[in-house]
Amino acid sequence: MSVTPTPAGNPILTAPIVTTILRLSTPNMMAMVATAAVAIAETAYVGLLGTAALAGMALVFPMVMLQQMMSAGAMGGGVSSAVSRALGAGDVVRARSLAYHTVLIALAGGLGMSALFLAIGPALYRLLGGRGAALEQALVYSNVIFAGILAVWLCNLLASVVRGMGNMAVPSSTLLAVAAIQIVVGGGLGLGLGPLPRLGMVGVGLGQVIAYGLGALWLLRYLRSGKGRFVLPLSGLPVRFDHAADILRVGTVAMLASFQSVLTVLILTRLVATFGEEALAGYGIGSRLEFLLIPVTFAIGVSLVPMVGMAIGSGNAPRARRAAWTGGAMAFAITGTVGFAAWLVPEAWARLFTSDPAVIAAARSYLVWAGPGFGFYGLGLCLYFAAQGAGRVFGPVMAGTARLAVIAIGGWWLAATGQPAWTMFALVGFAMVVYGLVTMAVIWTTRWGR
């Protein structure tokens, strides 16, 4: 069995904060870029299967992303937070028990989501507008994905255990391999490349299940090998509801943030659609730049979870706060710079995707009005991850609720009173500012520590 270093000898607790954030976030950045590449590749080869397949994937994609956000970002944050706080306190026995309960939570979450979406899939995709061949393709894809969604939950939560140890290289390299396998297997089975059968959307779904299943097995092997800070036990430990609760009290509240993010996008898309096809297309182009900033913020934010968690566990709350504010400032600087550039030359981005003057004008309007809010969105999201590390995530989740309320109530009023499209885009930017400032306020006023 490996021996855990004492908190005083742990570089995450002693090394300079900026260099530690950069060291931990770089592998995460690579993994997030790979994940984005998977989405692009899947869209490309599903497009070769036909319009119905492409429309079917569009119906299922928000639900698949929700699973990733719930398992990797929400419950995964709860796992990393609990494990890192235990290790920061030098309590290896508790950390091992928390990892054991992580496996139980992954089994419950994965199997529960399988049962739920296999049952409600047809009604859900009809509610989202699925009809005819598109609905048929959506159900084929969804049933394969959700029959094996346990693989996604296991892979993401085991990766979160390793991140809680302060090791970002192993989970990031694993997710890079998962992305490569998913592209090759999903494309090969979907299109019938080489000797492989052409399975269509069944093959595309199998690509994800197989890739994440292999990733989960690899992470399980690592955690059982003794190369980490402790060995993951798979039996012989009692079920401790207080240990499970340490993970769930952060993870379940954070899952609300995942639902809010998806709901915000769905509401905003529906509201913008009332302004016409050109406005919707322009919004899609402009928001694509916004979405590209999420991997950057996620990479920095995930690195803050063990930094803050270990500092809290060791009783060093001031270092935890310095790490949070430093990471938030870095995220604000990066995303704010991109937002300023988009405000300055918005048409440069829009012309990469279209030559339609009306769509370019709509995209330009979105970036001019929403771009200045990008930095505040990056700041709020990064501080949300830091709050996960501290085990104090309720306030940042409520900041997300405030953003959702601004979009829903303000957007409804703008649409109902016939305001021009630019007012909706200005509302998006304002909501980002609200999210960032409210998150800052709750972090500032919430006590961290024992």
Side-chain angles (χ1 to χ4, degrees), residues 359-378:
V359 176
I360 290 173
R364 179 185 183 280
S365 179
Y366 177 84
L367 292 173
V368 165
W369 288 103
F374 285 6
F376 291 91
Y377 181 67

Side-chain angles (χ1 to χ4, degrees), residues 15-72:
I17 288 175
V18 173
T19 55
T20 303
I21 292 175
L22 293 175
R23 176 173 61 84
L24 295 178
S25 62
T26 300
N28 292 326
M29 187 82 66
M30 297 171 62
M32 292 302 100
V33 170
T35 301
V38 170
I40 295 171
E42 275 195 341
T43 303
Y45 54 68
V46 169
L48 298 176
L49 295 175
T51 303
L54 202 57
M57 187 181 74
L59 289 171
V60 180
F61 183 72
M63 303 304 115
V64 175
M65 285 305 300
L66 181 61
Q67 298 303 306
Q68 292 285 355
M69 294 167 67
M70 290 170 63
S71 59

Side-chain angles (χ1 to χ4, degrees), residues 1 32 39 135 151 158 191 214-215 226 230 234 243 254 294 306 322 326 331 340 412:
M1 183 181 298
M32 292 302 100
L135 177 60
L158 290 175
L191 300 175
L214 292 173
F230 56 81
L234 295 180
H243 287 188
I294 293 179
R322 288 197 302 272
T326 302
F340 176 73
W412 170 82

Side-chain angles (χ1 to χ4, degrees), residues 39 208 252 255 413:
Q208 177 167 329
T252 51
M255 280 201 291
W413 183 83

Side-chain angles (χ1 to χ4, degrees), residues 1-5 87 92-93 96 165 222-232:
M1 183 181 298
S2 61
V3 178
T4 303
L87 291 176
V92 184
V93 173
R96 293 179 74 245
M165 297 176 177
Y222 172 81
L223 287 166
R224 294 284 293 168
S225 70
K227 296 178 180 178
R229 291 177 180 252
F230 56 81
V231 175
L232 169 67

